[in-house]
């Protein structure tokens, strides 16, 4: 974009709040310096996801990308990292805004100057999340003549990988209309207030400093190897298990309580540790599964299973403690990946000797899913009611209490399962299996295809055919059919991910497009499940609810049904990303490299 083009300028005063109670008086004060309050404060809940490409293209160009989710939808803001100081210490920086979609990439956003700038600087590279900032914002408009300023008090949570790592409060005064010079009156009042201290930088800079544990941030993503499914919205899809943990006759009875995950640059098990320490309880894995095109297909599967078993076991203690909801999510993701690996690679193993491993994964996935699905529903309900009047929020409490109770009951069953002797024996036996090359492998003839390079192409195309098969019915497909499409998309995604290193760098954009389709359908399924559960609650508790409570829960039910309808209407964009000719041609080139 030409430097001669003028972009809108954001002008605001920013202060870090030292004393919240003292700062809150500005939300109700009739006068603040020369400004008079013209409205009562309103509260809203905001979720800001800051994004960039893997190589930090936006930051290198001097910009930050923010996706803001609120009750009104999703907005993308592009703000310049460089800023100048204006009158009274106000921060001045360029800012562009436009509509966006939380489940789609910039190519699918509605046209705007903000979208154009992202595409100009980032190209086709996918945007990845740097950090999330969640805010409870209380705001009001104050006026001095024709000058209007939005005053906001923001209680901020900094979230990295779904974990709150920092909290702070800021007071902001943003010029909405009128003369910038009038801000000096507010600046004088705030500068004299010991409850406020001038903010050194932006919220993004403060958040990235918290993430990286240092005094500042200079742009570019550096969050390590986060699992790319942890931002995905999960849904109810794990089939219920009716089989108990069944230990074979040779299973040891003194299995360890947990396995230690030891990161290393190699994905090979360390024999030296075994020799020095006797029976080793650790899984030594690399940063990736390390599948190569020359691997035997069974050993490629074993690498994938070993990698994700290590991740699953690393989350056990956090799941038992129950302080961080992300621990359940991450452990569930790891079990899903292992179950998918059995579907992709399982035919290379003897079914009778490996059935117990598959059954055990299904059992623990079911327990984790029962907890995680309710976490997702409760989180979505909290977002829905954040902007509602207090009376409406309270009227939803019976429904949310019921869901919290179900969630607590499911967690009791989950922890009981993790602490059971059968689970511990299963873990010990499964660990030995993923560490032992050649264990339970089906014999193959020398001329029978058995390497990754020999068999993966047909596996990928078969998975893609299963997705393309929904094209004739997509326009009128019901929610259940679209959920089946999501599962088909998941298998395509996992089939690509498991052999990603063998496929090369071009596989990455393909996986991003499949993930976008899967996420869109996952949100639709979550909304449908929420509506169904709200409907069931209304029927079962009709005699226990007040008229206000029934009406509020009914409105929530209708909002979920409308969200399902909206997501069904907008399935076209993510679908074209996977079914279009560009995807097919790229997939063909990627597969041809094997």
């Amino acid at each position: 974009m030409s430097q001669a083009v003028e972009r809108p300028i954001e002008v605001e005063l920013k202060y870090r709040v030292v004393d919240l109670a003292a700062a809150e008086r500005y939300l109700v004060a009739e006068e603040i310096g020369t400004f008079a309050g013209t409205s009562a404060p309103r509260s809203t809940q905001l979720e800001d996801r800051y994004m960039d490409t893997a190589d930090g293209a936006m930051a290198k160009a001097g910009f930050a990308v923010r996706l803001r989710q609120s009750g009104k939808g999703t907005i993308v803001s592009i703000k310049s990292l460089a800023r100048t100081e204006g009158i009274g210490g106000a921060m001045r920086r360029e800012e562009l805004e436009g509509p966006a979609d939380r489940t789609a990439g910039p190519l699918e956003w509605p046209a705007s100057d903000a979208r154009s700038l992202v595409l100009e600087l980032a190209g086709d590279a996918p945007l990845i999340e740097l950090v999330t900032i969640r805010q409870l914002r209380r705001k009001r408009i104050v006026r001095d003549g024709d000058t209007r300023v939005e005053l906001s008090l923001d209680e901020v949570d900094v979230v990295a990988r779904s974990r709150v790592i920092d909290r702070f409060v800021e007071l902001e005064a943003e010029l909405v209309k009128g003369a910038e010079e009038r801000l000096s009156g507010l600046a004088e009042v705030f500068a004299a207030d010991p409850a406020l201290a001038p903010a050194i930088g932006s919220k993004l800079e403060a958040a990235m400093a918290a993430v990286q544990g240092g005094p500042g941030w200079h742009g570019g993503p550096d969050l390590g190897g986060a699992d790319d499914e942890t931002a995905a919205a999960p849904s109810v899809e794990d089939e219920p298990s009716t089989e108990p943990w069944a230990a074979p006759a040779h299973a040891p009875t003194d299995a360890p309580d947990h396995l230690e995950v030891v990161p290393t640059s190699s994905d090979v098990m360390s024999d030296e540790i075994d020799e020095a320490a006797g029976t080793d309880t650790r899984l030594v894995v690399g940063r990736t599964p390390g599948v190569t095109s020359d691997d035997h297909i069974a050993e490629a599967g074993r690498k994938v299973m070993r990698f994700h078993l290590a991740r699953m076991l690393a989350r056990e203690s956090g799941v038992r403690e129950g302080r961080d909801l992300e621990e359940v999510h991450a452990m569930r993701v790891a079990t899903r990946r292992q179950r998918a690996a059995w579907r992709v690679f399982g035919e290379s193993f003897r079914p009778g000797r490996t059935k117990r491993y598959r059954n055990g994964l299904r059992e623990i996935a079911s327990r984790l899913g029962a907890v995680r699905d309710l976490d997702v529903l409760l989180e979505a309900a909290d977002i829905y009611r954040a902007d509602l009047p207090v009376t409406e929020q309270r009227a939803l409490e019976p429904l949310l209490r019921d869901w919290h109770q179900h969630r607590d009951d499911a967690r009791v069953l989950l922890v009981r399962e993790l602490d059971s002797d059968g689970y511990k024996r299963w873990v010990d036996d499964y660990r030995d299996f993923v560490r032992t090359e050649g264990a339970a492998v089906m014999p193959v003839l020398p001329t029978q295809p058995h390497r990754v390079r020999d068999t993966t192409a047909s596996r990928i195309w078969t998975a893609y055919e299963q997705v393309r098969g929904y094209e004739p019915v997509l326009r009128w497909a019901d929610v259940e059919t679209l959920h089946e499409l999501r599962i088909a998309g998941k298998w395509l995604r996992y089939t690509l991910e498991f052999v990603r290193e063998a496929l090369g760098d071009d596989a990455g954009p393909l996986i991003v497009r499949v993930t976008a389709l899967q996420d869109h359908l996952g949100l639709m399924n979550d909304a449908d499940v929420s509506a169904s559960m709200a409907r069931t609650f209304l029927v079962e508790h009709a005699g226990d609810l007040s008229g206000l409570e029934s009406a509020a829960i009914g409105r929530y039910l209708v909002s979920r049904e409308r969200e399902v309808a909206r997501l069904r209407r907008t399935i076209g964009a993510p679908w074209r990303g996977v079914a279009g000719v560009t995807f097919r041609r790229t997939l063909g080139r990627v597969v041809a490299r094997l």
Side-chain angles (χ1 to χ4, degrees):
M1 183 177 287
S2 171
Q3 294 297 316
V5 176
E6 293 187 3
R7 302 190 181 106
I9 301 296
E10 176 189 64
V11 182
E12 63 182 357
L13 301 167
K14 294 173 63 70
Y15 300 89
R16 186 62 65 93
V17 174
V18 179
D19 183 342
L20 177 59
E24 286 178 329
R25 68 179 182 272
Y26 293 116
L27 295 175
V28 295
E30 293 184 3
E31 294 183 355
I32 308 174
T34 59
F35 283 78
T38 62
S39 63
R42 298 185 60 187
S43 297
T44 186
Q45 196 80 30
L46 304 174
E47 180 178 270
D48 296 337
R49 297 170 59 215
Y50 287 88
M51 318 289 286
D52 205 336
T53 61
D55 61 355
M58 297 301 301
K60 291 175 183 175
F63 294 94
V65 180
R66 182 189 72 192
L67 288 179
R68 168 163 287 177
Q69 181 73 26
S70 69
K72 297 179 180 179
T74 304
I75 296 293
V76 59
S77 298
I78 316 298
K79 298 191 178 189
S80 62
L81 296 175
R83 53 186 178 268
T84 58
E85 186 171 322
I87 298 171
M91 293 185 182
R92 306 179 82 254
R93 56 180 174 175
E94 297 177 344
E95 180 182 31
L96 293 174
E97 287 190 341
D101 189 320
R102 63 179 294 187
T103 64
L107 284 171
E108 309 298 339
W109 295 346
S112 69
D113 290 340
R115 172 182 179 272
S116 297
L117 183 57
V118 172
L119 294 177
E120 176 185 337
L121 299 176
D124 292 335
L127 297 179
I128 62 174
E129 183 175 322
L130 303 179
V131 68
T132 293
I133 293 177
R134 294 174 182 157
Q135 306 179 67
L136 171 61
R137 167 164 288 183
R138 289 176 283 171
K139 59 184 180 180
R140 68 185 299 208
I141 296 294
V142 295
R143 185 191 301 269
D144 181 2
D146 294 333
T147 300
R148 295 170 58 196
V149 171
E150 182 179 89
L151 197 66
S152 64
L153 189 62
D154 300 336
E155 298 178 45
V156 179
D157 284 353
V158 179
V159 182
R161 299 174 188 170
S162 298
R163 183 174 303 170
V164 176
I165 60 172
D166 194 17
R167 286 190 169 97
F168 57 88
V169 181
E170 281 196 355
L171 179 72
E172 296 183 355
E174 181 177 353
L175 182 65
V176 177
K177 177 184 177 182
E180 181 179 339
E181 292 79 7
R182 297 291 182 91
L183 283 177
S184 59
L186 287 176
E188 291 176 3
V189 175
F190 296 150
D193 190 342
L196 305 176
I200 303 301
S202 67
K203 289 174 182 171
L204 173 60
E205 290 170 320
M208 293 306 297
V211 169
Q212 299 179 0
W217 173 73
H218 304 288
D222 183 19
L223 294 179
D227 192 298
D228 60 14
E229 192 170 359
T230 59
S235 58
V236 183
E237 66 181 57
D238 290 309
E239 63 269 32
S241 171
T242 57
E243 300 187 39
W245 301 106
H250 64 277
T253 58
D254 55 347
D257 290 339
H258 67 281
L259 305 183
E260 181 178 357
V261 181
V262 183
T264 179
S265 59
S266 170
D267 66 343
V268 182
M269 301 306 302
S270 175
D271 293 331
E272 296 179 0
I273 296 177
D274 290 341
E275 294 173 2
T279 302
D280 177 51
T281 63
R282 298 181 293 182
L283 283 177
V284 182
V285 298
R287 294 179 65 86
T288 66
V291 172
T292 70
S293 59
D294 288 324
D295 281 336
H296 188 293
I297 195 67
E299 298 313 317
R302 200 186 310 273
K303 285 182 176 181
V304 173
M305 296 169 198
R306 180 168 68 236
F307 180 81
H308 291 292
L309 176 61
R311 287 191 164 193
M312 182 188 103
L313 297 170
R315 300 290 184 168
E316 267 191 28
S317 60
V319 170
R320 285 190 178 91
E321 290 172 1
R323 290 197 295 264
D324 188 349
L325 302 182
E326 173 57 23
E327 297 293 331
V328 172
H329 182 198
M331 188 172 180
R332 188 195 193 192
V333 168
T335 60
R336 279 179 164 177
R337 297 297 177 89
Q338 290 173 82
R339 296 183 70 199
W342 278 105
R343 173 167 174 154
V344 174
F345 303 106
E347 64 185 27
S348 300
F349 296 96
R350 296 180 183 273
R353 293 181 58 184
T354 58
K355 180 180 179 182
R356 179 172 174 268
Y357 307 135
R358 298 191 298 272
N359 289 346
L361 282 170
R362 184 176 62 188
E363 182 75 19
I364 194 62
S366 177
R367 297 299 186 194
L368 289 162
V371 177
R372 177 59 187 170
D373 288 335
L374 285 162
D375 284 341
V376 172
L377 299 186
L378 288 165
E379 183 178 6
D382 284 340
I383 293 173
Y384 165 80
R385 69 175 187 158
D387 292 329
L388 297 177
V390 174
T391 54
E392 186 85 355
Q393 293 186 24
R394 290 174 178 169
L396 288 170
E397 281 299 324
L399 175 66
L400 300 187
R401 280 199 303 268
D402 182 73
W403 288 0
H404 274 292
Q405 184 60 56
H406 284 305
R407 195 264 181 197
D408 292 343
D409 293 344
R411 172 172 160 71
V412 169
L413 295 176
L414 169 61
V415 174
R416 185 181 300 167
E417 200 74 72
L418 293 177
D419 291 339
S420 68
D421 291 338
Y423 173 77
K424 294 173 185 177
R425 289 193 295 269
W426 173 83
V427 165
D428 189 56
D429 194 40
Y430 189 29
R431 179 208 64 208
D432 289 343
F433 168 77
V434 300
R435 294 180 58 179
T436 306
E437 186 172 347
V441 175
M442 293 282 288
V444 294
L445 298 173
T447 57
Q448 185 176 346
H450 61 274
R451 297 178 300 175
V452 168
R453 70 167 70 251
D454 304 327
T455 62
T456 297
S458 61
R459 294 172 189 270
I460 291 173
W461 284 116
T462 297
Y464 185 57
E465 289 168 3
Q466 294 299 314
V467 173
R468 285 291 303 277
Y470 286 84
E471 189 167 32
V473 302
L474 193 66
R475 288 178 179 239
W476 54 81
D478 57 16
V479 173
E480 183 177 353
T481 301
L482 291 174
H483 179 58
E484 293 171 357
L485 169 59
R486 179 177 184 263
I487 295 174
K490 180 180 68 173
W491 296 126
L492 173 60
R493 172 189 174 183
Y494 288 163
T495 304
L496 291 168
E497 284 183 342
F498 291 156
V499 293
R500 184 171 187 166
E501 291 165 282
L503 294 174
D505 293 339
D506 287 345
L510 296 177
I511 294 171
V512 168
R513 289 179 178 270
V514 178
T515 302
L517 175 63
Q518 181 184 344
D519 288 349
H520 187 100
L521 294 170
L523 290 172
M524 185 186 66
N525 185 73
D526 291 337
D528 184 62
V529 171
S530 298
S532 177
M533 292 183 66
R535 187 181 299 108
T536 299
F537 181 84
L538 283 171
V539 172
E540 293 179 349
H541 297 81
D544 304 327
L545 301 173
S546 69
L548 184 61
E549 290 169 339
S550 295
I553 297 171
R555 283 188 288 271
Y556 177 67
L557 164 60
V558 171
S559 76
R560 296 301 85 201
E561 291 175 335
R562 288 175 176 171
E563 180 69 358
V564 171
R566 183 189 71 81
L567 290 165
R568 285 184 66 187
R569 288 196 309 270
T570 56
I571 188 64
W575 170 258
R576 288 191 296 273
V578 174
V581 64
T582 300
F583 185 97
R584 298 198 301 273
R585 287 174 177 171
T586 305
L587 184 62
R589 290 195 301 270
V590 167
V591 170
R593 292 173 184 165
L594 289 170

